[in-house]
């Protein structure tokens, strides 16, 4: 088992039929709004890997929610798997420190405790009456009773996730975390948490590794969407903030498990329950292989599709990255970045407003570089201070949510 676990950890660290309770992504979004559901937390599936020897295991995942509500449901995904996966028991509850849960509430799917999610499918739980305050930690626990052969997850979550030993059985209802003996840093199967929160909506941050929170301090929720959430939920009535960042994501191209922003827009943004505003912060990974015109065309299409769904769209300027540790910056890519940023700042007849992330973190002495105070060390990814600079630079009134925002 230790060898198998070692292989699982290596994978996690190196990867840069209709059933009760399941619905298609679009249905989840449409039904959510009608029933008062608002997304309070989300992540985007970005990885799939095979696993052997895993059965009778329970995984426990802390998530930091944005807006609060009076009922909760979860969304699960098996998007990239080639086999179905069975959830034998699922619970949700308020975190009580580490892997402990104050009171785990049983979740059901179409009235049943067990749900089998087909390959490529998703499942949405029934509602559970659980009042959750804004900006608190929930814990979702999933018991996987059968042989698990494939895992779809979100890699590099900047969050410790807890697992029991293989064969340990069902510990989803445990209040103590004693049974959870090893950890990873990715969210398997979980794609979203929704709450019933009347008169609220949500902002979706569509982005790459910077939005994903890479190089922010793990287990502290200092990704810029988390920090934006703290500002928004000081307003009335508050709002959800959903993180749809994927490391290495691009607008103009993608892979099977890391689809382009255009290809994943429906899944990760338009189908989110209660989604009313999109912040588009992508393009830095496109600069080396796409023209400014191609990046702008992609941004234009994303904004048009979101507008057709009645969403507001806020564009964000691309941040500087001269001297990036792994290379890729040239005078040519810098010229493309400046051209795209000029388009964003002018709104281009495309955006409802913009957030000047470039201005927020650039070095005044050399605007092609990330400012030293905001640099995580690789000259591309911001540190916690840089993440806060992003969140603070957004004009909350431009998001069209809440009242009394400042």
């Amino acid at each position: 088992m230790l060898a198998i676990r070692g292989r699982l950890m290596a994978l996690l660290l190196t990867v840069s039929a209709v059933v009760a309770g399941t619905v298609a992504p679009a249905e989840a979004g449409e039904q959510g709004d009608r029933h008062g559901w608002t997304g309070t937390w989300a992540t985007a599936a970005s990885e799939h890997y095979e696993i052997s020897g895993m059965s009778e295991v329970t995984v426990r995942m802390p998530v930091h929610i944005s807006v609060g509500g009076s009922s909760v449901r979860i969304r699960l995904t098996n998007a990239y798997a080639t086999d179905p996966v069975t959830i034998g028991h699922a619970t949700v509850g308020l975190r009580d420190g580490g892997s402990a849960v104050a009171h785990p509430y049983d979740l059901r799917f179409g009235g049943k405790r067990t749900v089998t999610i087909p390959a490529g499918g998703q499942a949405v739980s029934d509602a559970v009456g659980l009042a959750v305050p804004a900006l608190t930690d929930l814990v979702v626990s999933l018991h996987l009773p059968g042989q698990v052969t494939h895992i779809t997850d979100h890699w590099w979550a900047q969050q410790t996730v807890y697992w029991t030993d293989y064969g340990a059985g069902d510990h989803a209802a445990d209040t103590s975390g004693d049974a959870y003996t090893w950890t990873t840093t990715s969210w398997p199967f979980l794609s979203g948490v929704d709450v019933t929160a009347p008169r609220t909506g949500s902002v979706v941050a569509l982005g790459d590794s910077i939005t994903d929170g890479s190089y922010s301090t793990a287990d502290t929720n200092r990704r810029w969407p988390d920090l934006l959430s703290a500002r928004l939920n000081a307003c009335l009535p508050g709002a959800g903030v959903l993180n749809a960042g994927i490391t290495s994501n691009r607008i103009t191209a993608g892979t099977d498990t890391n689809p382009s922003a255009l290809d994943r827009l429906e899944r990760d943004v338009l189908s989110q329950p209660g989604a009313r505003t999109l912040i588009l912060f992508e393009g830095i990974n496109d600069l080396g292989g796409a023209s400014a015109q191609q990046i702008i065309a992609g941004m234009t299409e994303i904004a048009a599709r979101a507008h057709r769904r009645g969403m507001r769209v806020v564009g964000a300027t691309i941040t500087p990255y001269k001297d990036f540790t792994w290379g890729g910056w040239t005078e040519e890519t810098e010229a493309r970045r400046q051209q795209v940023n000029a388009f964003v700042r002018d709104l281009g007849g495309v955006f409802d407003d913009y957030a000047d992330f470039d201005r927020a973190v650039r070095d005044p002495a050399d605007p092609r570089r990330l400012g030293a105070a905001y640099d995580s060390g690789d000259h591309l990814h911001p540190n916690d201070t840089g993440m806060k600079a992003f969140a603070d630079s957004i004009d909350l009134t431009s998001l069209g949510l809440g009242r009394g925002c400042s």
Side-chain angles (χ1 to χ4, degrees):
M1 184 173 69
L2 291 175
I4 293 169
R5 186 185 305 163
R7 288 196 295 272
L8 172 60
M9 289 299 295
L11 279 167
L12 289 172
L13 293 173
T14 59
V15 171
S16 215
V18 178
V19 294
T22 64
V23 297
E27 292 178 300
E30 291 163 4
Q31 292 178 5
D33 240 352
R34 288 199 302 269
H35 296 159
W37 290 106
T38 295
T40 187
W41 178 90
T43 193
S46 63
E47 179 191 39
H48 159 247
Y49 57 91
E50 295 183 6
I51 189 71
S52 62
M54 177 182 279
S55 67
E56 285 296 339
V57 64
T58 307
V59 58
R60 178 160 279 184
M61 295 170 280
V63 297
H64 188 67
I65 68 165
S66 50
V67 71
S70 56
S71 299
V72 175
R73 71 179 185 185
I74 67 169
R75 289 177 279 130
L76 303 174
T77 181
N78 200 26
Y80 299 126
T82 56
D83 292 332
V85 64
T86 296
I87 310 298
H89 185 198
T91 63
V92 64
L94 291 169
R95 192 178 191 182
D96 195 26
S99 55
V101 184
H103 182 99
Y105 288 78
D106 286 341
L107 290 166
R108 295 188 176 272
F109 299 82
K112 298 178 180 178
R113 174 164 157 153
T114 299
V115 62
T116 297
I117 311 171
Q122 75 162 5
V124 180
S125 78
D126 302 338
V128 61
L130 169 60
V132 292
L135 308 176
T136 54
D137 285 356
L138 284 179
V139 176
V140 176
S141 303
L142 305 176
H143 170 230
L144 308 170
Q147 289 290 327
V148 180
T149 59
H150 299 82
I151 291 180
T152 292
D153 75 354
H154 179 90
W155 178 62
W156 208 355
Q158 298 296 91
Q159 175 66 59
T160 299
V161 169
Y162 305 89
W163 294 79
T164 67
D165 284 334
Y166 296 1
D170 181 6
H171 289 274
D174 290 8
T175 55
S176 164
D178 292 348
Y180 296 85
T181 55
W182 58 287
T183 63
T184 57
T185 55
S186 66
W187 287 301
F189 303 114
L190 184 65
S191 61
V193 178
D194 308 327
V195 295
T196 51
R199 299 183 304 283
T200 66
S202 61
V203 176
V204 186
L206 181 63
D208 49 41
S209 58
I210 300 176
T211 295
D212 205 9
S214 299
Y215 297 96
S216 65
T217 302
D219 294 321
T220 63
N221 304 303
R222 292 181 183 172
R223 312 164 193 86
W224 72 260
D226 294 317
L227 300 174
L228 173 62
S229 173
R231 292 187 65 207
L232 265 178
N233 281 286
C235 307
L236 295 174
V241 179
L242 308 181
N243 191 328
I246 296 180
T247 294
S248 301
N249 199 237
R250 291 177 285 175
I251 293 173
T252 59
T255 67
D256 288 345
T257 59
N258 192 344
S260 71
L262 285 161
D263 288 340
R264 67 188 184 95
L265 184 66
E266 178 67 40
R267 182 194 74 178
D268 293 340
V269 178
L270 304 183
S271 68
Q272 295 288 352
R276 296 184 186 173
T277 303
L278 164 63
I279 300 177
L280 175 61
F281 180 33
E282 291 238 28
I284 199 165
N285 293 314
D286 298 84
L287 292 171
S291 68
Q293 291 76 16
Q294 289 172 319
I295 298 169
I296 289 169
M299 288 179 164
T300 300
E301 181 179 340
I302 288 170
R305 288 169 60 188
H307 281 145
R308 286 197 293 270
R309 296 292 186 90
M311 294 182 68
R312 255 181 100 72
V313 183
V314 175
T317 51
I318 302 174
T319 49
Y321 67 104
K322 187 181 180 189
D323 300 326
F324 174 45
T325 300
W326 303 109
W329 184 94
T330 65
E331 293 289 352
E332 184 179 1
T333 62
E334 178 64 19
R336 292 174 189 167
R337 187 178 75 89
Q338 295 296 343
Q339 189 173 347
V340 173
N341 283 352
F343 170 80
V344 172
R345 291 186 179 107
D346 289 342
L347 304 183
V350 167
F351 299 115
D352 298 293
D353 214 319
Y354 76 95
D356 206 339
F357 285 0
D358 170 38
R359 182 185 180 93
V361 298
R362 68 193 182 197
D363 183 348
D366 185 352
R368 300 170 299 175
R369 289 187 171 92
L370 190 62
Y374 308 117
D375 193 347
S376 68
D378 71 355
H379 312 306
L380 183 150
H381 294 94
N383 56 20
D384 294 350
T385 302
M387 294 290 179
K388 186 175 187 302
F390 288 155
D392 289 348
S393 72
I394 297 171
D395 178 358
L396 297 187
T397 63
S398 72
L399 303 178
L401 290 165
R403 299 184 301 275
C405 294
S406 60

